[in-house]
Amino acid sequence: IAALIHHELVLPAQRQTGARQVLVFTHNLFFLHELLKQLNRDIAGAAKKCHLLRVVKRETSQVVPMDPKDLLNDYDALWHALRDADANRVPSVLVPNTMRCILEHFFAFTSRQTQLKDALTALTREDASFAPLARFLDRGSHKDDVNITIMDCAAYDVPYYLAKLRAVFELAGCGQHFDERMGVPAPSAETTGETA
């Protein structure tokens, strides 16, 4: 479909023999990247040939510029959603499942499932109110057919959730990964007391 759009709509528009403008809406990152690769094999180069926008939905929708490098894959998109939640650009109801998907991807890919369970257990011992969220995060997206909700939608506390997610990564020895993905600046030599 991406090739068809490119050859039947985009190329004629570029030659000014067809439509003057082609608008494509998608939720699918793979499809987006296929469209961009039709324009140029290098995604960054393709982005220079078109105008990419992202629709952010909340009480009202916002249309914001999009850098294709921010959403190279589903894992990047999950972290992008958390950064948006942290900036109050998306509904907080997205946060728990996004956290669970990030943890599943990261800890399965790095073969650290035991460290994930240990971190969730340790955090639950420190903070009993974390127990429902820990069970939700440890449950797995497709573990069973019971769809549990951890709390009422109005009660999502994004800063608390993000602090707990950061703590999970820190306890697993991967705090730097969380910081990098959330865009937390690395400590400078001045703040760490190190000298050159």
Side-chain angles (χ1 to χ4, degrees), residues 122-136:
L123 289 171
T124 300
R125 277 194 214 112
E126 288 175 15
D127 177 6
S129 65
F130 177 66
L133 178 58
R135 282 192 302 275
F136 179 83

Side-chain angles (χ1 to χ4, degrees), residues 84-145:
D84 281 349
D86 191 33
N88 198 30
R89 288 189 294 256
V90 296
S92 60
V93 70
L94 298 174
V95 173
N97 197 51
T98 302
M99 288 171 56
R100 179 171 60 187
C101 290
I102 285 171
L103 293 173
E104 284 178 6
H105 279 74
F106 180 80
F107 285 95
F109 182 76
T110 59
S111 300
R112 296 177 179 208
Q113 291 93 334
T114 302
Q115 289 167 305
L116 172 60
K117 290 189 182 302
D118 292 347
L120 293 173
T121 300
L123 289 171
T124 300
R125 277 194 214 112
E126 288 175 15
D127 177 6
S129 65
F130 177 66
L133 178 58
R135 282 192 302 275
F136 179 83
L137 295 174
D138 190 36
R139 182 176 162 269
S141 295
H142 305 289
K143 189 172 184 179
D144 56 41
D145 59 356

Side-chain angles (χ1 to χ4, degrees), residues 179 183-187:
D179 291 346
V184 176

